Amino acid sequence: MANTQTKSEATLLKKVWDIANVLAAAGVGFTDYITQLTYILFLKMDDEKEELGLGSSLPEGCKWKDLADLNGSDLVEKYEEILKELADDTGLIGTIFTKASNKIDSPVHLAKVIQMVASENWYMMEGDFKGAIYESILEKNGQDKKSGAGQYFTPRALIKAMVDVINPKIGETVADPACGTGGFLLAAYEHMKSQSKEIAKQNFLKNNTLFGADNTPLVVTLASMNLYLHDIGTEKSPIVCQDSLLDTSDKMYDVILANPPFGTRPQGSVEVAANRPEFIKTSDNQVNFLQHIMSIVKTGGRVAVVLPDNVLTDGNATAKVREKLLKDFNLHTILRLPTGIFYAGGVKTNVLFFEKGSETKDIWVYDYRTGIKHTMATKPMTREHLDDFVNCYCSGHMVDRMQTYSEDNPNGRWRKFTADEVYSRDQLKLDFKWIDLTEKDDRSITEILSEMQEKASSISEAVSKLQEMLGGIDL
């Protein structure tokens, strides 16, 4: 059965890639293609649902049957008419079709996508199966460097490790205020769904547990469809299109999992401090997201957030935010990440793990950066690479943590820094480094000179022999 499913998944993905290549040659980027595929896939699934007697979520005139028999300019015109109407809808439909517009102008190419979707029955596919297909598509989209879509895709190996140690429990609420394509929310759902078979808890998990936000309409479409294909938010999507940094609602959550965007806010954006006067004023996106996350986690709640090095080292406003973090939250763990694991290259990042309600004392640091090399193409990071960190973390029994660093093992990757060591650091900078993998040369000067002399003699001898060999050749 597993082999059959793997083959079916590979077959479906090949169909998706084949059409992607055709459209790419016609100037339609992969991100635009995936967005249109999402719209068309939703129409087809709604049609299959209606045929099973389960009703339709779509208004008359905006259904699969209204497209299926059209071709040429009629097809394009009707498709665009449907997108326009559904974009103005509410609830799940309005979220899936957020600011929807057609990016495939050619009737022939649009028909190809529709024919590919028409060749499969999607609604009755197992949620895990069709969800896995869509996740594969999103990962492929993340690799599209031209589109910059990688910024919306966090490596699933990292997400899985973060969720495993944060350990969200069924009945808790989980939020990602910069949700991208919904990877953290989906991983949290998968982690919780086997924790209870009670119908009430399962209903709460599917309909009330998750919350995600993103300010990019196409990403909201992808995230909401990603969850929908995993049978989450089938009535009302847990994803909203909003600028989280301007969110002043009083909603609080038990668990926050996030990889917020880095850099400064786009030109023309509303200034965060104007809407959030309680924030320490800064133009850094990541620092503002950290402040936002600190404001929406419940007392006793848990956070795991990916942030760049500057959040741990910069002065001025960033240092003030860091001071507030240490004072009002227990920043108990930092995971230092290597470069080469994100589609945006060269960024040095960390995962900060903290809880709300008590001040920071000791900080445990796992250095998975020094001496570690990953590339997206040839050596991607897998979940197994983070097994040692997860084991050292001791989720649920942190009192049992044991350092792997010691005087006898100075390059141990898991080290505790005491409160005295933390608070004595200049401007509370948290750039903990201790591993030294440079090879030490214990030779004396006499031994080094002797080896150099031997190499010089060997080179001189080789040059002499070469000259002898060339002596009789007319150059």
Side-chain angles (χ1 to χ4, degrees):
M1 178 68 181
N3 286 340
T4 304
Q5 181 165 309
T6 302
K7 286 179 183 176
S8 300
E9 185 176 331
T11 302
L12 273 174
L13 286 172
K14 185 178 185 305
K15 289 183 181 181
V16 172
W17 306 151
D18 287 348
I19 293 181
N21 292 332
V22 171
L23 292 180
V28 179
F30 197 80
T31 300
D32 287 336
Y33 164 49
I34 295 307
T35 310
Q36 304 309 308
L37 177 62
T38 299
Y39 300 149
I40 294 165
L41 183 57
F42 188 88
L43 297 179
K44 176 65 161 59
M45 288 177 64
D46 183 81
D47 183 66
E48 293 171 16
K49 179 183 166 191
E50 189 172 22
E51 284 188 0
L52 291 168
L54 301 174
S56 169
S57 304
L58 299 171
E60 289 299 325
C62 294
K63 299 184 179 183
W64 175 263
K65 64 184 180 184
D66 299 306
L67 280 180
D69 298 325
L70 298 178
N71 53 53
S73 60
D74 290 344
L75 174 63
V76 174
E77 286 173 14
K78 183 60 181 177
Y79 179 59
E80 291 178 350
E81 179 187 312
I82 289 174
L83 295 186
K84 187 174 185 301
E85 183 162 344
L86 296 183
D88 293 332
D89 210 316
T90 56
L92 175 65
I93 305 303
T95 305
I96 295 277
F97 292 86
T98 301
K99 296 187 179 179
S101 63
N102 179 27
K103 300 293 184 181
I104 306 177
D105 297 329
S106 163
V108 174
H109 292 140
L110 182 58
K112 277 185 178 295
V113 180
I114 290 173
Q115 288 161 11
M116 186 268 289
V117 172
S119 68
E120 302 288 341
N121 288 313
W122 300 87
Y123 186 76
M124 291 303 291
M125 278 185 194
E126 187 181 332
D128 287 346
F129 177 52
K130 63 193 174 194
I133 292 170
Y134 198 71
E135 273 277 290
S136 297
I137 293 170
L138 293 178
E139 183 163 14
K140 175 81 170 178
N141 188 41
Q143 298 168 12
D144 182 8
K145 293 182 180 178
K146 290 182 181 176
S147 71
Q151 65 183 300
Y152 307 120
F153 194 90
T154 305
R156 280 5 187 188
L158 176 60
I159 287 177
K160 182 74 166 62
M162 290 168 64
V163 170
D164 284 348
V165 297
I166 283 289
N167 189 24
K169 296 179 176 62
I170 196 164
E172 292 184 314
T173 52
V174 180
D176 181 352
C179 69
T181 53
F184 280 111
L185 299 178
L186 185 56
Y189 169 80
E190 294 292 339
H191 185 86
M192 290 184 282
K193 73 177 185 179
S194 61
Q195 293 176 1
S196 173
K197 292 182 179 179
E198 287 182 35
I199 294 175
K201 288 186 177 180
Q202 286 292 327
N203 285 338
F204 182 85
L205 177 59
K206 287 195 173 187
N207 301 308
N208 302 102
T209 292
L210 307 176
F211 171 79
D214 204 286
N215 64 352
T216 306
L218 78 86
V219 177
V220 169
T221 292
L222 299 178
S224 50
M225 190 64 172
N226 195 16
L227 297 186
Y228 178 79
L229 289 174
H230 287 85
D231 299 325
I232 306 165
T234 53
E235 298 298 326
K236 184 178 185 296
S237 179
I239 311 296
V240 299
C241 188
Q242 71 175 29
D243 185 342
S244 290
L245 296 183
L246 304 181
D247 175 29
T248 55
S249 71
D250 56 1
K251 290 182 180 177
M252 308 280 279
Y253 304 92
D254 297 298
V255 174
I256 312 288
L257 297 156
N259 177 12
F262 304 160
T264 56
R265 279 176 70 74
Q267 198 168 8
S269 299
V270 176
E271 188 178 333
V272 174
N275 245 48
R276 309 289 291 271
E278 74 277 16
F279 279 15
I280 294 166
K281 188 174 180 179
T282 174
S283 60
D284 277 2
N285 251 349
Q286 58 268 26
V287 179
N288 279 322
F289 264 104
L290 175 56
Q291 293 188 87
H292 176 62
I293 288 168
M294 289 158 64
S295 74
I296 63 172
V297 63
K298 293 179 181 177
T299 299
R302 310 183 299 290
V303 174
V305 56
V306 181
L307 293 167
D309 278 10
N310 79 289
V311 174
L312 301 180
T313 58
D314 280 2
N316 302 319
T318 304
K320 292 178 182 176
V321 173
R322 203 160 52 241
E323 183 179 2
K324 180 174 174 57
L325 174 65
L326 296 179
K327 179 182 176 184
D328 297 338
F329 298 79
N330 178 18
L331 174 61
H332 52 76
T333 309
I334 297 174
L335 168 62
R336 301 184 77 227
L337 294 171
T339 58
I341 64 171
F342 295 103
Y343 293 112
V347 182
K348 291 184 177 180
T349 58
N350 315 268
V351 185
L352 274 58
F353 298 87
F354 56 89
E355 298 175 359
K356 187 173 186 175
S358 62
E359 68 176 327
T360 300
K361 294 184 173 63
D362 302 337
I363 297 180
W364 290 76
V365 183
Y366 192 97
D367 187 340
Y368 189 66
R369 180 185 300 176
T370 307
I372 303 292
K373 288 184 172 61
H374 285 294
T375 63
M376 296 305 303
T378 59
K379 193 186 176 185
M381 183 175 71
T382 66
R383 172 62 182 77
E384 288 71 26
H385 285 122
L386 294 171
D387 277 351
D388 188 55
F389 163 70
V390 172
N391 291 333
C392 287
Y393 190 100
C394 295
S395 180
H397 55 106
M398 292 190 200
V399 291
D400 296 328
R401 287 180 167 185
M402 298 283 290
Q403 297 186 86
T404 59
Y405 163 87
S406 67
E407 288 186 10
D408 294 331
N409 185 30
N411 288 335
R413 295 193 178 274
W414 182 233
R415 181 174 178 179
K416 179 176 77 170
F417 290 84
T418 65
D420 287 343
E421 291 173 310
V422 171
Y423 289 102
S424 64
R425 298 171 75 88
D426 179 43
Q427 295 189 77
L428 297 176
K429 291 182 179 180
L430 305 178
D431 53 335
F432 300 103
K433 302 171 188 173
W434 67 93
I435 296 178
D436 181 6
L437 297 179
T438 56
E439 292 185 13
K440 294 180 180 177
D441 193 339
D442 296 324
R443 296 174 299 170
S444 67
I445 293 177
T446 303
E447 288 172 328
I448 294 171
L449 288 173
S450 177
E451 284 188 27
M452 289 174 65
Q453 184 63 50
E454 283 180 24
K455 288 179 181 178
S457 298
S458 297
I459 293 170
S460 178
E461 192 175 323
V463 170
S464 297
K465 286 183 178 179
L466 186 59
Q467 285 173 333
E468 285 178 20
M469 292 170 60
L470 297 175
I473 300 175
D474 185 8
L475 299 174

